[in-house]
Amino acid sequence: MAVLRVFPHCDIHLTLDNPATRSISFTVFQLLNAVGPYTLSPITNTCTPRYFAPHATVGSRLQRFANVDVTTGTITATGIGTNLVILETADTYIVIRIQVHQNILAWWFGNEKITTAQDPIYAHSQPSIYAMFSDDTTGTDRVGDITGHNFVRLSSGDTTILADPNSDGRIRGVAEGETDLEGSFLSITETIDVRVINYAQTRNILEPVKFGDMPNAANIHNILFVAEGFTAADEAKFDQIVTQVSTDLFLKQRHEPYGTLSSSINVFKAFTASNDRLVTCGFQVADNQISALSKGTPIPYEHKVSGDNYLVSELVRRVGLPMRGEDRNVRDLKDLWNSQGLNNFDDAKVSIRLVNAWKNSHSLGFLETRDTFFGMILGSRWADNNSTLGAPLAAVANDDDSAPLKAFVKRAYTFYSGKKAARSITMDPRRHPPELLFGDSRATSFMSFVGGLGAAAPNQTLGSAWVPDGTFKKSRGLIAMISNEHMHAGTNLNSSTLTANTINQDALLNATYVPNPNANIKKLRRDVPDNLSPSLDAMINTVAHEFGHSFNLGDEYEEFVEYSNFATERLNPSDTTSNFFDNYDNIASLEVIFDDANYLTNNSREIDPSKLKWNILPRIKLSAKLTSATQMNGGNLEVTVNSREANSWEAIRVAGDEVHLRRIVMQTDQGQQLPLSMTAADLLTGLTIVSVDESNGTIVLSSAGTLVPSPSFPEGASLYVPLKIAGVMQNVIEDKVFTELVSSKLPLNKDTDTSAVSKKADFPHRISDFKPPCQSARLVGLFEGGATWTGLVYRPAGTCKMRTSSGGEEHGEFCYVCKWLITNRVDPGKHHVIHTNFYPVAKKNE
Ligand SMILES: [Zn+2]
């Protein structure tokens, strides 16, 4: 799978008049190596550029304003206007935008100061550079992002601390210390302060917050809180947040099973100070106030401004960004958009208010970067485009209404859709070099920092417990980075190795243009709110939900409507790259649970519940975790559990209940557990207890079958008694619910509408001869809608923390399947506690 990067970036600005800015060098790289650090392999000359002019009139949109020469790696301006250029390889494409202006008037740094990493090889940080261009009649932007364009000459103030920047404007720290970086161009000279940090050094700053089993920390699950955007003066505030989050996480029922599993989870924190409060925002914000869209809203805005219409961002994905000065009325714009061959555009979802908000998706400024310790970013820049898998498209001869033209338009417009939403928070590609920032990010300065963390004995070297290395690690992904930022964001990032959360839920910010004697220099600086006090409850909900992803749980909420080709494009068994849904333990898609193998051609939505991976999870009457590996004792199997639990097992012996023994298997380094292995090596059934030694917890088991070859189960394996009713083993799906699924071949949703996104809990339809639990949305079975889609993707229950983490006490809990999975991974000896306290038992059924 080829992953492409474009240097300097994907949002290029050139001018016709100034020879120094008429052309630039560019390179298309492919990331090599399975894990970081990655090798950047130049493949520019294997790319085919294809030009599209989104703002030109229909019929003339294949014209070029620049020439992309893949042989020399040069882009040269040829006319004034905007092109989207698709760079295609044999199996991948990436879209860049090129704006050609008449002239460049001024430039400035987008950073006041910047922190970067000491590194013998890689230049980590890339200061942002912005420019003001002439007021052209073509509707090109006045300000542009010329970072890495090599127009501005950069030099280090002290090369013993900071090497001189490379041609992409990236800076490499040589030794810890502070210096400055100077830039000059167009008779403008600016400097910014640079701080170099050695992230990889040992730091014994891990502090215990909650004690689960500290001496045994290396063998159990550990949570780590780190600070981003907190200054040295904010340390007490960080401490207070961590204490409250940790307390609530383990105390409140809505966050179970964390509380039940408390003795198997330690919590640590490690504080480091940032130079600035807040974190960097990659998006621009509206700098003009209109009724439909406030000043300070991210571009594009991820919310609705009216009724059943598109979100502003959905409209931008379909029609692109407005030209500067766009003043056509709604009727004219709808006519235009209907004539442009746009993908999946429905003018019934466009209102006057929405169009006004869309027109305001424009700004004269870029927000100045915040200088934080780890270099996180909210949302992303237009420059930060990613590549997409896809074979080259058929040639397009004319800008007509043909099928090839529509496919071409669809691909070109992915420039407007490939971005991270404003509410996501990830590592900033201008603080983390492309050689390190991909996949599980094990090579990043952040993970170097974590790997160097230690505490007092016996946890001097605990940091490595959180650093991915390709094997399953219990603490993997249990890092909560708390960002001192009021804009709403919560993300599980870098292949589930890190969660990042902000402390408030705001959707807009305040920023002010910094006065400058040169009126063409438009620095836009965020105002730091006086009182950045956290919304703790909402934050804790987010942390608990994001950790769910680290337990290999997918989102159970809906964000997008299932579209007409959804099954063909996403659930096609012949395309192994299209379906990641089923890797999550709590998500199933039609591709796996179909009843009719021809579902792609006959649109059958019927499901086969026997293919459902959570169907066989047992309800558990009693469980224990083995404290040592099994041994053979004569012809019997000997296991050991905590002696304090032994009397419960004596009662099982007396009752003669059947006992099972299960190896806890993580199939991937990300902790995938389902489908459960049912082989004899991983699951022994039909065991009965011969004797229990209550003094040392030793239990001798005999088997109905032969124990040949000798079973071998490790410490930590799960010994359990499956719950039986009238001699029949009970699974998490009640028998009558399963029977209903078998006979209907349909999910349980009472509300079967998949044409609209539902954010709410789903309730089950009536099941004959069965009364669901009191809060019927908790019923375990199969519900449609999940992994952000409304249809053909399924989840176990009507409500779950992975669907909605907010809401009253009755919502916001994990569903029973998610609780089972987390319990099985953290402490399978607690299955019966979870079952007794939280299984949503059906009402008494006559
Ligand atoms: Zn769930």
Side-chain angles (χ1 to χ4, degrees):
M1 181 166 79
V3 175
L4 307 185
R5 295 284 182 265
V6 174
F7 283 15
H9 59 59
C10 295
D11 191 14
I12 308 287
H13 292 268
L14 301 171
T15 72
L16 272 187
D17 286 0
N18 187 332
T21 55
R22 193 177 295 153
S23 69
I24 61 163
S25 298
F26 82 107
T27 314
V28 184
F29 290 99
Q30 181 178 345
L31 291 192
L32 300 182
N33 309 348
V35 296
Y38 301 94
T39 300
L40 297 175
S41 168
I43 56 157
T44 315
N45 60 4
T46 71
C47 294
T48 304
R50 310 187 62 173
Y51 305 79
F52 186 77
H55 300 314
T57 51
V58 174
S60 63
R61 290 178 296 168
L62 302 183
Q63 66 181 300
R64 308 173 181 190
F65 303 106
N67 184 50
V68 177
D69 186 336
V70 297
T71 311
T72 59
T74 312
I75 304 176
T76 307
T78 58
I80 298 174
T82 301
N83 272 138
L84 298 173
V85 179
I86 308 169
L87 297 167
E88 287 182 341
T89 70
D91 62 356
T92 312
Y93 65 91
I94 189 164
V95 184
I96 65 174
R97 179 173 67 174
I98 302 172
Q99 295 192 53
V100 179
H101 312 264
Q102 188 76 55
N103 209 351
I104 184 170
L105 307 177
W107 72 273
W108 61 94
F109 278 123
N111 310 64
E112 198 182 14
K113 49 190 183 292
I114 191 166
T115 297
T116 196
Q118 177 184 327
D119 192 311
I121 303 169
Y122 303 110
H124 282 237
S125 299
Q126 189 181 35
S128 289
I129 301 175
Y130 302 121
M132 176 67 73
F133 297 99
S134 49
D135 185 5
D136 303 337
T137 56
T138 53
T140 46
D141 294 334
R142 288 300 307 277
V143 297
D145 182 351
I146 60 164
T147 303
H149 282 42
N150 212 8
F151 297 157
V152 176
R153 199 179 58 78
L154 300 172
S155 59
S156 165
D158 182 347
T159 54
T160 66
I161 294 173
L162 184 73
D164 273 326
N166 64 23
S167 61
D168 300 305
R170 283 197 181 265
I171 55 175
R172 182 175 68 81
V174 176
E176 285 203 316
E178 294 183 9
T179 181
D180 56 25
L181 179 75
E182 185 181 279
S184 62
F185 178 54
L186 298 174
S187 306
I188 297 168
T189 297
E190 281 205 357
T191 58
I192 55 176
D193 296 330
V194 178
R195 168 172 72 154
V196 175
I197 288 180
N198 176 10
Y199 288 91
Q201 75 180 28
T202 299
R203 289 177 171 85
N204 287 320
I205 57 170
L206 273 182
E207 285 183 62
V209 177
K210 187 196 79 75
F211 293 75
D213 182 358
M214 269 314 156
N216 198 29
N219 299 315
I220 67 169
H221 288 69
N222 301 280
I223 288 173
L224 170 63
F225 287 92
V226 295
E228 171 77 335
F230 290 82
T231 64
D234 299 324
E235 184 169 359
K237 176 178 158 185
F238 172 75
D239 289 345
Q240 182 211 336
I241 290 172
V242 169
T243 302
Q244 195 64 52
V245 172
S246 177
T247 303
D248 279 20
L249 199 59
F250 292 95
L251 209 63
K252 289 193 170 170
Q253 178 173 329
R254 66 181 289 127
H255 303 307
E256 286 286 352
Y258 295 117
T260 300
L261 302 172
S262 180
S263 64
S264 298
I265 305 175
N266 296 317
V267 180
F268 295 88
K269 65 183 173 186
F271 180 82
T272 45
S274 295
N275 278 334
D276 281 340
R277 293 181 174 134
L278 308 179
V279 299
T280 294
C281 292
F283 47 82
Q284 290 177 277
V285 294
D287 60 355
N288 188 24
Q289 174 87 37
I290 63 162
S291 63
L293 194 69
S294 299
K295 191 176 169 182
T297 48
I299 298 172
Y301 191 47
E302 301 280 343
H303 297 271
K304 277 190 195 318
V305 291
S306 69
D308 277 341
N309 298 304
Y310 290 128
L311 315 182
V312 182
S313 56
E314 287 176 325
L315 184 63
V316 167
R317 282 201 284 275
R318 284 164 175 78
V319 309
L321 285 166
M323 273 194 302
R324 184 171 58 88
E326 175 61 66
D327 62 357
R328 283 170 282 192
N329 65 32
V330 174
R331 182 175 306 179
D332 290 348
L333 285 168
K334 282 191 184 186
D335 287 347
L336 173 72
W337 293 332
N338 280 321
S339 73
Q340 287 182 317
L342 301 174
N343 180 52
N344 196 18
F345 173 71
D346 177 2
D347 72 5
K349 292 187 168 180
V350 177
S351 66
I352 292 177
R353 194 173 161 81
L354 173 60
V355 166
N356 286 338
W358 172 78
K359 286 179 181 172
N360 204 35
S361 299
H362 205 274
S363 177
L364 249 194
F366 288 88
L367 295 169
E368 199 173 57
T369 298
R370 308 297 298 178
D371 184 19
T372 56
F373 191 81
F374 294 118
M376 301 300 282
I377 185 170
L378 270 168
S380 56
R381 304 176 182 86
W382 296 109
D384 302 335
N385 220 352
N386 288 314
S387 56
T388 310
L389 288 177
L393 291 177
V396 179
N398 298 299
D399 180 13
D400 51 21
D401 210 25
S402 63
L405 185 277
K406 284 181 174 168
F408 181 58
V409 169
K410 179 182 177 185
R411 185 165 285 195
Y413 275 68
T414 59
F415 177 80
Y416 301 107
S417 66
K419 306 299 176 299
K420 296 201 171 68
R423 62 174 196 264
S424 91
I425 176 167
T426 56
M427 292 184 196
D428 185 351
R430 290 194 181 161
R431 283 285 303 275
H432 301 270
E435 294 92 341
L436 307 182
L437 189 58
F438 189 68
D440 60 26
S441 296
R442 67 182 67 180
T444 57
S445 52
F446 176 78
M447 283 300 174
S448 299
F449 166 85
V450 170
L453 288 175
N459 297 320
Q460 283 105 332
T461 59
L462 190 62
S464 62
W466 290 284
V467 181
D469 65 1
T471 64
F472 171 72
K473 290 184 169 184
K474 287 181 175 174
S475 297
R476 177 198 170 102
L478 297 181
I479 306 176
M481 181 186 287
I482 305 297
S483 300
N484 193 26
E485 165 63 55
H486 65 92
M487 294 291 281
H488 183 200
T491 308
N492 195 308
L493 57 145
N494 297 121
S495 305
S496 306
T497 57
L498 165 66
T499 76
N501 314 271
T502 59
I503 63 170
N504 289 106
Q505 280 70 47
D506 290 346
L508 62 91
L509 55 82
N510 291 320
T512 312
Y513 285 106
V514 181
N516 194 295
N518 183 338
N520 286 320
I521 294 181
K522 303 281 280 181
K523 295 189 182 192
L524 187 56
R525 187 169 293 166
R526 288 182 68 186
D527 304 338
V528 182
D530 288 338
N531 184 14
L532 265 174
S533 63
S535 313
L536 277 169
D537 283 345
M539 238 195 90
I540 296 161
N541 289 339
T542 307
V543 170
H545 169 99
E546 297 303 336
F547 279 164
H549 291 305
S550 298
F551 288 106
N552 199 46
L553 304 175
D555 284 319
E556 295 186 21
Y557 58 73
E558 304 165 24
E559 208 168 9
F560 307 106
V561 175
E562 171 205 334
Y563 53 88
S564 54
N565 294 331
F566 185 79
T568 320
E569 289 185 9
R570 303 281 184 142
L571 307 177
N572 191 337
S574 65
D575 181 355
T576 54
T577 62
S578 67
N579 182 357
F580 59 87
F581 306 113
D582 294 274
N583 295 339
Y584 294 117
D585 287 323
N586 61 333
I587 300 289
S589 80
L590 192 66
E591 184 175 330
V592 170
I593 62 168
F594 63 85
D595 185 59
D596 183 336
N598 296 316
Y599 66 92
L600 288 180
T601 48
N602 67 12
N603 297 319
S604 168
R605 301 177 77 95
E606 290 188 341
I607 51 100
D608 174 0
S610 69
K611 293 176 177 168
L612 198 55
K613 58 195 169 189
W614 55 78
N615 140 46
I616 54 164
L617 303 186
R619 291 169 64 183
I620 290 176
K621 180 177 167 185
L622 181 66
S623 61
K625 194 168 53 173
L626 299 195
T627 56
S628 58
T630 55
Q631 292 176 33
M632 290 305 288
N633 179 346
N636 291 330
L637 189 63
E638 190 177 290
V639 301
T640 310
V641 303
N642 190 317
S643 59
R644 288 194 302 265
E645 301 167 2
N647 61 344
S648 306
W649 291 95
E650 173 61 15
I652 295 299
R653 186 194 66 79
V654 171
D657 287 340
E658 181 185 352
V659 173
H660 292 186
L661 185 56
R662 184 190 299 281
R663 185 190 308 271
I664 307 301
V665 181
M666 298 297 141
Q667 299 172 14
T668 64
D669 59 343
Q670 296 198 30
Q672 184 177 337
Q673 299 188 63
L674 303 187
L676 287 178
S677 167
M678 304 301 274
T679 65
D682 293 327
L683 177 67
L684 269 188
T685 61
L687 302 170
T688 46
I689 298 179
V690 176
S691 65
V692 177
D693 184 335
E694 295 193 39
S695 64
N696 61 13
T698 302
I699 300 172
V700 177
L701 302 160
S702 70
S703 170
T706 57
L707 294 175
V708 178
S710 300
S712 170
F713 286 74
E715 179 187 345
S718 172
L719 185 73
Y720 67 93
V721 180
L723 180 75
K724 291 185 181 180
I725 296 179
V728 179
M729 257 185 65
Q730 301 293 304
N731 289 337
V732 293
I733 302 179
E734 298 244 15
D735 286 347
K736 284 183 177 166
V737 176
F738 192 74
T739 304
E740 169 71 15
L741 291 171
V742 170
S743 64
S744 73
K745 299 186 178 182
L746 292 171
L748 297 171
N749 307 50
K750 189 171 174 182
D751 171 6
T752 57
D753 182 9
T754 59
S755 71
V757 168
S758 166
K759 298 284 183 191
K760 296 186 179 137
D762 267 311
F763 299 96
H765 62 237
R766 225 185 70 78
I767 298 170
S768 70
D769 195 26
F770 176 77
K771 291 179 185 164
C774 290
Q775 290 159 340
S776 65
R778 296 183 178 208
L779 182 70
V780 180
L782 179 70
F783 287 80
E784 188 161 19
T788 74
W789 295 98
T790 57
L792 299 183
V793 184
Y794 307 88
R795 63 188 200 276
T799 183
C800 178
K801 190 185 284 296
M802 300 313 289
R803 182 168 176 87
T804 170
S805 55
S806 58
E809 286 296 327
E810 74 277 16
H811 300 302
E813 281 192 41
F814 285 110
C815 71
Y816 191 74
V817 168
C818 288
K819 284 192 178 99
W820 194 103
L821 290 162
I822 296 173
T823 303
N824 199 55
R825 169 167 154 182
V826 177
D827 183 358
K830 292 292 198 302
H831 269 304
H832 60 292
V833 182
I834 296 293
H835 181 263
T836 304
N837 292 336
F838 305 114
Y839 184 75
V841 186
K843 289 182 197 165
K844 206 153 191 113
N845 290 287
E846 285 83 22

